[in-house]
Amino acid sequence: MANFISFLLLLSLLSFFPMCLCNKKLGGYLYPQFYDYSCPQAQQIVKSILAKAVEQEPRTAASLLRLHFHDCFVKGCDASLLLDSSGSIISEKGSNPNRNSARGFEVIDEIKAALEQECPSTVSCADILAIAARDSTVLTGGPSWEVPLGRRDSLGASLSGSNNNIPAPNNTFQTILTKFKLQGLDLVDLVALSGSHTIGFSRCTSFRQRLYNQIGNGKSDLTLDQYYAAELRTRCPRSGGDQNLFFLDYVTPKHFDNTYFKNLLEYKGLLNSDEVLFTKDQESAELVKLYAERNDLFFEQFAKSMIKMGNISPLTGSRGEIRENCRRINA
């Protein structure tokens, strides 16, 4: 099994080089130096504004990391998620995965306004999301990586894509893995990227079923530590309290580390989609054990998987546009 895990990690490693991502199947030619001449201050502007936002509201980091993920899984990494409803556009913000939970849009607005002042019509909203996801990780103690850039923004959104493509908290392991594979991501990416749940919150409505009726027999999920379940029930009742918030990682909730995986080993993963990584698949379970033991390997793979995810079907060249306002397409 150890050799198999090493093989999986090697395959994932090889998929990231060279750093200049030129995968025509995924539609892009992205490279970290894209704005070096057209807007050399771009990344510093994003980092500066985001740092202030995270200092004022630490939850912002997890929110922006999640926005990038939810954007890339729908039509690719094209900032379609940021569009408000208007004309023929029905916003993805109203989908089941995003309604009452996607947040951080005002921070993106502030970053975009500053970039438009510095370099008008130059830096895409899709690239802002990718940079902000990296900086959110770093600001909370996680790894850094060079973000390949050059994405352009979509001219539309997909509400159905948002409802169907993004893994749900109650999906089975196989369903989650299938949704990742449809995006060109593999088992290693699934486990590593799930580690982003080391920061942030989840709502009671996202895991209530595990507390009261996991398989339709009126009992709690047997793969959830029962003392932990009892504690969760004090603030997540059978009815009501849908929006009550709980740490995804109750041990180090504001620090990006591998404690998330250690929690899974103790059957204290908050969401069903977290715990199944350890309980429903042997290969996945071995990766959970590995990352729980080796924070450095988790960090290394997380960075690689984020780069890989950020290259899902980007719009480049003359496709799409550079939005002046991330909430609407240009006039």
Side-chain angles (χ1 to χ4, degrees), residues 99-323:
R99 188 173 57 251
N100 297 323
S101 64
R103 55 193 304 278
F105 299 108
E106 294 77 9
V107 178
I108 299 297
D109 292 340
E110 184 179 353
I111 292 171
K112 180 59 175 173
L115 287 169
E116 283 299 302
Q117 184 173 1
E118 177 76 14
C119 318
S121 302
T122 302
V123 183
S124 70
C125 301
D127 277 346
I128 291 173
L129 283 176
I131 298 168
R134 187 272 311 277
D135 290 349
S136 293
T137 302
V138 173
L139 286 168
T140 50
S144 184
W145 60 91
E146 281 193 300
V147 180
L149 301 167
R151 302 166 189 80
R152 289 167 65 85
D153 301 323
S154 71
L155 299 172
S158 176
L159 181 64
S160 61
S162 186
N163 278 321
N164 296 325
N165 296 359
I166 299 172
N170 60 347
N171 279 162
T172 65
F173 173 83
Q174 193 56 53
T175 296
I176 297 169
L177 181 59
T178 297
K179 289 182 177 182
F180 268 71
K181 287 184 175 180
L182 288 172
Q183 303 298 335
L185 303 174
D186 58 25
L187 176 68
V188 176
D189 301 315
L190 165 58
V191 179
L193 292 173
S194 294
S196 63
H197 284 179
T198 181
I199 56 174
F201 296 81
S202 183
R203 298 173 296 156
C204 166
T205 186
S206 296
F207 61 87
R208 174 184 284 120
Q209 178 180 337
R210 298 190 73 201
L211 301 179
Y212 300 102
N213 192 28
Q214 176 69 357
I215 59 174
N217 62 356
K219 296 182 180 181
S220 63
D221 187 349
L222 294 178
T223 67
L224 180 64
D225 178 88
Q226 295 306 295
Y227 292 102
Y228 183 44
E231 182 179 344
L232 294 173
R233 280 191 287 266
T234 62
R235 293 187 52 246
C236 187
R238 287 181 180 272
S239 61
D242 286 3
Q243 305 305 316
N244 289 351
L245 294 174
F246 296 77
F247 290 123
L248 286 162
D249 168 9
Y250 74 99
V251 179
T252 57
K254 298 179 182 180
H255 190 66
F256 198 103
D257 58 24
N258 66 337
T259 304
Y260 163 84
F261 295 104
K262 296 177 182 179
N263 293 340
L264 299 187
L265 298 182
E266 297 179 358
Y267 302 99
K268 294 180 180 179
L270 182 63
L271 305 179
N272 181 71
S273 55
D274 293 323
E275 197 61 54
V276 292
L277 298 178
F278 181 59
T279 61
K280 297 300 183 180
D281 183 86
Q282 184 60 39
E283 297 164 22
S284 175
E286 291 300 323
L287 285 169
V288 170
K289 294 176 185 176
L290 178 66
Y291 296 150
E293 181 179 348
R294 295 284 302 275
N295 189 66
D296 59 326
L297 292 182
F298 164 50
F299 274 22
E300 180 181 353
Q301 185 57 51
F302 183 81
K304 293 167 185 170
S305 293
M306 285 294 292
I307 294 171
K308 188 175 178 182
M309 184 186 77
N311 196 44
I312 297 175
S313 303
L315 298 174
T316 56
S318 61
R319 296 186 301 158
E321 66 179 11
I322 305 298
R323 286 187 216 139

